[in-house]
């Protein structure tokens, strides 16, 4: 009885540590809304309060960063529009084409920042409807005709219905396939695109045979403006927003994106879209 009583007492005393452990797990998974219960007094309660305050500060910092990106993006739209108009009055030549390319990159970047913010904060309304992904995927693949080392569609079923926003699905597919082509390098094997059902999802899988992603970079590849292999940034164009937007779009669909990569062997990206809902 004494041992049982001591055991129960220790469990009661150490329960705040269990709450803190759960809090750390939630925060490590990105759930910054989780708060550790503070039901007692003493050092453990002070530690729980400090943990909650730290989480709130993280939320404020992330919100401030997103707010800054949004404000800057909005403010850049007007001067970019004026710059595009001014470019039309320049004489044709290499300088004009270079400037137009740079302006196009900036415009795409701003659009992706704003679209990501709208989806993440629930301001965008998804145009969800029953969509056959087979012609959609085949159409996106056809758009990369002539791109080296090529994009090949594997065997696909006759139809594959899913409940999605077709335009946003095209955006995700174009981003992922463009990345696969870009990082394939001198690979002779084309980028392979396949489509199959894995209940309760429809899966689009894109596999390249490029250099792959270093293991130390994998936890950060969905972070905005993060780029793998920074030493190659001069030869491979990009600004690190595509995967962040793709992840946001997939989450808005109640789906997910998974990436598996090995150095020297290539990268496989799996997009999990929800199946067609019953009664829709």
């Amino acid at each position: 009885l004494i041992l049982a009583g001591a055991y129960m007492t220790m469990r009661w005393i150490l329960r705040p540590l269990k709450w803190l452990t759960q809090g750390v797990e939630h925060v490590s998974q990105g759930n910054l809304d989780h708060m550790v219960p503070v039901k007692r007094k003493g050092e453990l309660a002070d530690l729980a309060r400090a943990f909650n305050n730290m989480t709130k500060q993280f939320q404020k910092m992330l919100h401030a960063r997103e707010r800054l990106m949004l404000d800057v993006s909005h403010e850049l739209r007007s001067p970019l529009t004026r710059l595009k108009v001014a470019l039309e009055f320049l004489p044709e030549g290499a300088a004009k084409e270079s400037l137009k390319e740079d302006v196009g990159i900036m415009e795409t970047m701003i659009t992706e920042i704003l679209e990501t913010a709208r989806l993440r904060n629930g301001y965008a309304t998804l145009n969800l409807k029953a969509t056959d992904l087979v012609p959609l995927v085949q159409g996106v693949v056809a758009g990369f005709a002539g791109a080296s080392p090529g994009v090949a569609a594997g065997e696909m079923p006759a139809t594959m219905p899913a409940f999605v926003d077709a335009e946003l699905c095209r955006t995700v597919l174009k981003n992922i396939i463009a990345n696969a082509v870009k990082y394939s390098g001198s690979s002779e094997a084309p980028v392979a695109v396949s489509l199959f059902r894995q209940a309760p999802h429809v899966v689009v899988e894109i596999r390249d045979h490029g250099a792959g992603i270093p293991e130390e970079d994998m936890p950060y590849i969905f972070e905005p403006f993060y780029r793998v292999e920074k030493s190659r940034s001069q030869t491979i164009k990009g600004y690190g927003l595509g995967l962040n937007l793709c992840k946001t779009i997939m989450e808005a669909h109640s789906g997910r994106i998974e990436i598996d990569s090995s150095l020297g062997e290539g990268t496989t990206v799996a997009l999990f879209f929800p199946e067609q809902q019953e009664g829709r």
Side-chain angles (χ1 to χ4, degrees), residues 4 6 8 36 42 46 51-52 73 111 125 138 157 170 175 180 226 230 238 241:
M8 296 303 295
V36 175
D46 293 340
F51 181 87
N52 290 339
S73 300
T111 301
T125 302
Q138 290 174 339
R170 287 190 183 93
N175 267 293
Y226 187 85
K230 299 177 180 61
L241 283 173

Side-chain angles (χ1 to χ4, degrees), residues 110-164:
I110 290 170
T111 301
E112 289 188 356
I113 290 174
L114 295 176
E115 186 65 22
T116 301
R118 289 192 327 121
L119 289 169
R120 186 171 294 161
N121 293 289
Y123 298 132
T125 302
L126 298 183
N127 184 24
L128 297 173
K129 60 182 180 180
T131 304
D132 187 356
L133 288 185
V134 174
L136 190 150
V137 171
Q138 290 174 339
V140 174
V141 170
F144 287 87
S148 177
V151 181
E155 292 186 9
M156 297 187 182
T159 60
M160 185 64 76
F163 198 68
V164 297

